[in-house]
Amino acid sequence: MTTNDEARAGRKIWIGVGEGAAAAGVALVVAVVGLFAFSAVQWPAFNSSNVTRALTTVGQVVALALLVVSVLLIRLRRWPVVAKLLSWVGISSFVTVTLGMPLAATKLYLFGVSVDQEFRTEYLTRLTDSAALRDMTYVDLPPFYPAGWFWIGGRVGNVLGMDGWEVFKPYAIGLLAVAATVALVLWMQLVRADTAVGAAAAVTAMTLAYASPEAYSAVLVVFVPPVLVLAWGALHRRSGGWGAVLGTGLFLGVAACFYTLYLAIAAFTVVIMAVVAAGFAVHAQRAAGRRANRVGARAGTGEAGTSLAGADPSTARPAWRAAIAPLTKLAAIGAIAIVLALVVWTPYLLEMLSGAKLPSGSAFHYLPESGAQLAFPMLEFSLRGALCMVGVLWLVVRAGSSRRAQALGIGVVSIYLWTLLSMTATAAGTTLLSFRLEPVLLALLAAAGVFGFVEGATAVYQALNEPAPMRPAAAAIAVLGAVAFAQTIPTVLTHEIDTAYTDTDGNGERADQRKPSAVSHYREIDAALIAQTGRPRDESVVLTADTTFLAFYPYWGFQALTSHYANPLSDFKARAATIAEWSKLPDSPALLQALAKSPWRAPDAFLFRNDGDNYTLRLAEDVYPNDPNVKRYTVSFPKSLFTDPAFTRTEIGPFTLVTVRR
């Protein structure tokens, strides 16, 4: 690369960084204004009225109209700054209204605080209470699950004076809006601006429909397609491309701080890219060597017009050396990613390497039906299926001539390879959680589908001798398809939205105005705990099966919801066995003695359910390879175990709070 080329590349990088920062600022303003406006009105619940659904559709149409206008301005080469601004506002508005309007009448995010969202809320609550990298449940343990998304959200909640459970929704929607808009900026650095808007919109729509419940992974999904194009651009070049190397490394580093599985699949794909690029480079070097040999042979026979003077000296070097460049770039990408990953992983790695505790977890012990078969969304008879099929056809047709198709195609192939590896791993008693990769597959095929539609429409247009009505007809089909799919997103998310309205929030209220669950007593339990222990919340350990209490208040737990979400350093099985042993002790002195000798910090309080002469805890154990992979069982503590004056018992609704005085 010449000095001028390097200078231009450097300027392009800095321009992209500047635009990314500006786009993020615009998206943040749009999300804040939109969510504030939605919350200022008393809306009916989504699960009992179609009002918010109707207004969501209106908002989506307006957002898509902004994107259409931005594309028209780009095509007409008019007002480029306005065109970019409209695209930023359009994409961030689309995210904000698609998620924010259906959830406008509830303070909870998709899925409320049920199942997986419970431990995520617990993690966010922990890091809202303190900026220290700490496990979501267990005291004195570093976090195992990457803290990046939760730490940022915790700082947002802390600044705004909001509890973790309450900041979850606005933070999740706002950061996703920012991520989608910055991903659009990245697309614009890689492909033609008008096509970039279409690709970003399609990927964002797929992400909202199929990845948004897992908010901390969704912000990565929108980046995967453009980052793979960026990575391929870095690896396939013999020289230059170091800006793309830096960008790819930064993404992998952020992925390591946010979501381990998506780091794994992205790194897996980039490694495959590097190997393929190295193979291409070696093949090209050998071909160049053969050409040089033929030139030399002709010159040796005295053939007129031939000379060795024009031969490339580089063809004399061993072919294998051509693989050094892509593999060096791969190493640089890995080094950048590792440095960033250590920001959140260092505490856990140090604790694990110290040997004080041996890791033993079951995070990979889950195999639903979708993880036992290959996903083929392109074969569905639906708008999603049609777009994915166009994407597959484009990937195949353009595999030999388009670097975008090569990058996205390698991404698709790597997901299927990972899925097959995950299925194979079941023979070893584990999985690679491939079922969670379907949103990434859909995002890749959606981007490819947009490129395929644009190129296919262009080919038809040219084959028909460029009739004037052809372009507006193709545009109309694209817009109609976009609106039709967009308005189905709330339908796809119906269960997740309904749960946000039927779950009881941290204020003890249900957004659908129905009778709240036992969660409504948590505030009284919290007040009693503080009064009886005399300590701040983050200095008390509570043993309870009602772990949603820990999602709303930052007490430490003695045992996690399930082993799948428990820290591998927590000794989940041993803790479960210890709890069972405590329940079988003969009297209060024996229990107090057992608590004093506990290998872990013993509970400062127990939060039980009442059952006649017993207090009960409904716990969980891993029963993989069964599906469901969790078995619930009840541990009963005789009430006679807590008659000693060291125990203070307080009846609160269906609960009994037992605090321990030592």
Side-chain angles (χ1 to χ4, degrees), residues 46 94-95 97 109 181 183 211 250 389 512 535 611 642:
F46 181 86
F94 182 73
V95 174
V97 74
Y109 187 61
T181 310
L250 289 175
M389 177 58 78
D512 61 1
R535 292 190 296 269
D611 183 20
F642 302 96

Side-chain angles (χ1 to χ4, degrees), residues 18 23 141 270 279 380 437 520 556:
L141 280 186
V270 171
E380 298 173 359
L437 297 182
S520 61
W556 298 105

Side-chain angles (χ1 to χ4, degrees), residues 114-316:
S114 293
V115 197
D116 290 8
Q117 220 68 305
E118 179 181 318
F119 91 84
R120 294 165 190 155
T121 306
E122 181 184 355
Y123 205 178
L124 186 55
T125 293
R126 173 73 56 220
L127 294 179
T128 301
D129 180 63
S130 170
L133 291 180
R134 304 186 292 182
D135 185 74
M136 66 186 84
T137 300
Y138 299 103
V139 67
D140 300 329
L141 280 186
F144 171 70
Y145 286 92
W149 187 90
F150 301 92
W151 189 90
I152 297 171
R155 295 307 86 213
V156 171
N158 188 270
V159 169
L160 297 177
M162 301 173 71
D163 293 330
W165 70 268
E166 192 173 11
V167 79
F168 197 120
K169 185 186 84 170
Y171 167 62
I173 296 173
L175 191 61
L176 184 51
V178 169
T181 310
V182 176
L184 169 59
V185 173
L186 178 56
W187 273 119
M188 286 187 168
Q189 302 300 309
L190 300 171
V191 301
R192 206 175 65 194
D194 55 342
T195 308
V197 174
V203 171
T204 299
M206 284 291 186
T207 301
L208 292 177
Y210 302 104
S212 57
E214 198 173 50
Y216 58 106
S217 69
V219 296
L220 298 177
V221 173
V222 293
F223 279 103
V224 171
V227 165
L228 292 187
V229 175
L230 183 72
W232 185 239
L235 295 169
H236 85 275
R237 297 178 185 173
R238 289 197 176 188
S239 61
W242 289 101
V245 167
L246 175 62
T248 305
L250 289 175
F251 172 77
L252 292 181
V254 171
C257 295
F258 275 51
Y259 195 60
T260 311
L261 179 62
Y262 285 0
L263 161 69
I265 188 61
F268 180 67
T269 305
V270 171
V271 169
I272 292 176
M273 285 181 168
V275 172
V276 173
F280 283 171
V282 170
H283 176 75
Q285 183 66 26
R286 286 175 177 166
R290 287 193 294 269
R291 287 195 299 270
N293 289 337
R294 287 196 296 269
V295 170
R298 289 197 298 269
T301 60
E303 186 174 333
T306 60
S307 171
L308 289 175
D312 185 355
S314 66
T315 60

